[in-house]
Amino acid sequence: MTENVLKGINNGGQITFGYKLNAERKFEPHETYAPILQDIFTMYADGHTIKYIVDYLDEKKIRSYRGGKINGTGVQRMLSNRRYLGEYKFRDVTVPNIIPPLVSEDVFERVQQRLAKNKKAPARHKAEDDYLLTLKLFCGKCNTHMVGESGMGTSRVYRYYKCANTKKVHICDKKAVRKDWIEDLVVEKAMKILHDDKLVEYLTERIFVLQGEENPRIPHLKGQLADTEKRIENLMNAIEQGIITDTTKDRLAQLETKKKEIEIAILQEKIKKPFLTKEQIQFGIERFSNLDITTLEGKRRLIDGFVNSIYLYDDRFDITFNFKDGTQTVFFSELEATKNSDIKSLGAP
């Protein structure tokens, strides 16, 4: 079984979603399910929740290989599976790049970072519903997460964010803040980015420049290619000196095959990262200004796309956006004059 792993041959059992087996029992991308698997990774890396992905798969009637519905646990297992990077593991043996990867290292790493962050976050299940600032909203007094809470009033449910240290161990005296008020303020500040022509121009230029940076997987593949070419050259030198055996011929054939596979992998990685013009990038950024921010999904996409973190104090909040020098401070005293201000009723009912 270890020998099978070293050769990339399936040892039996349930086939990993996104793959199929060829006549030699080696893994190949499934023509239908591989693109679906890649969509799952992309959606989660782009900020969609696991619940959203489960609902999406159910709506599209996408089922597991056994015909059952794919639940949240199944999606989480997919997102954590390093086989999609091309790794094949059996007991203590792990062989990299032995099966075709379905996900780039960049996307996989972004997904792992988000999974790790969500695992540590308190009350994550509430964020799956409609607490849009979970993982992004922090207490300015103790720097811990502020989490979603709800409570019944005389006639309706009140929702708010509360410092986790206040909620659990009572070591912080930060007051709770009404959910809708703080979320609407954050959405308002994020929308201003999209109406700042100079800022949109700056973001367009930075993204355009970043495109020129090489895919981090390509240098690794180029290193493998150079090593393989060196081995082929050494074998050719041995053959020229008359050292020819069946093993030599077989090894040369294996190396030639490996060289072709690496060259194809390099081309595939380059294709995965299409080059966009400045006009296309600017159009993509400006599309956010057309989001319907009266809907939950519209607010979520805007916050996930532009907001990095918010630190909430008693007199202000500091909001940091997903670009360099993108931090703003908003003092509550500036908001008191506005008719929509909720500053007088920050606490929970």
Side-chain angles (χ1 to χ4, degrees), residues 215-234:
N215 184 322
R217 181 165 159 72
I218 291 177
H220 175 68
L221 288 170
K222 285 182 175 179
Q224 287 187 327
L225 181 61
D227 179 66
T228 303
E229 289 175 337
K230 183 65 177 177
R231 292 172 185 269
I232 292 173
E233 182 182 351
N234 291 340

Side-chain angles (χ1 to χ4, degrees), residues 132-140 143-146 161 177 182-183 185-187 189 303 306-313 316-321 327-328 330 332:
L132 303 179
L133 300 182
T134 302
L135 308 182
K136 295 180 183 289
L137 183 63
F138 296 85
C139 172
N143 295 333
T144 195
H145 286 102
M146 295 191 72
Y161 289 95
V177 61
I182 188 66
E183 286 181 355
L185 273 177
V186 170
V187 168
K189 296 302 175 184
I303 289 171
F306 287 91
V307 179
N308 181 277
S309 62
I310 308 106
Y311 281 81
L312 185 64
Y313 303 85
R316 71 187 190 280
F317 68 85
D318 295 337
I319 180 169
T320 301
F321 298 101
T327 299
Q328 295 179 13
V330 179
F332 294 146

Side-chain angles (χ1 to χ4, degrees), residues 200 204 277-290:
V200 170
T204 300
T277 65
K278 289 184 180 180
E279 290 75 16
Q280 289 171 324
I281 295 170
Q282 184 170 337
F283 175 75
I285 295 173
E286 290 175 346
R287 277 186 62 188
F288 278 88
S289 63
N290 296 321

Side-chain angles (χ1 to χ4, degrees), residues 78-112:
M78 290 180 198
L79 295 172
S80 305
N81 194 343
R82 294 187 64 83
R83 184 168 294 182
Y84 295 124
L85 285 175
E87 289 186 7
Y88 196 11
K89 184 175 182 180
F90 176 70
R91 293 185 178 176
D92 58 343
V93 177
T94 301
V95 185
N97 304 311
I98 195 66
I99 59 179
L102 298 185
V103 179
S104 70
E105 290 186 6
D106 175 56
V107 171
F108 191 87
E109 182 57 31
R110 283 165 55 201
V111 165
Q112 302 321 299

Side-chain angles (χ1 to χ4, degrees), residues 266-310:
I266 291 173
L267 288 173
Q268 288 174 335
E269 289 298 323
K270 290 181 177 178
I271 292 171
K272 284 179 184 176
K273 191 178 179 182
F275 196 83
L276 301 176
T277 65
K278 289 184 180 180
E279 290 75 16
Q280 289 171 324
I281 295 170
Q282 184 170 337
F283 175 75
I285 295 173
E286 290 175 346
R287 277 186 62 188
F288 278 88
S289 63
N290 296 321
L291 285 173
D292 183 359
I293 58 172
T294 63
T295 66
L296 182 67
E297 186 59 26
K299 291 179 181 179
R300 178 182 286 118
R301 288 191 62 191
L302 184 67
I303 289 171
D304 286 347
F306 287 91
V307 179
N308 181 277
S309 62
I310 308 106

Side-chain angles (χ1 to χ4, degrees), residues 330-347:
V330 179
F331 287 93
F332 294 146
S333 58
E334 300 172 0
L335 304 174
E336 289 184 10
T338 67
K339 63 180 180 179
N340 293 324
S341 175
D342 196 28
I343 191 65
K344 302 298 185 186
S345 56
L346 288 182

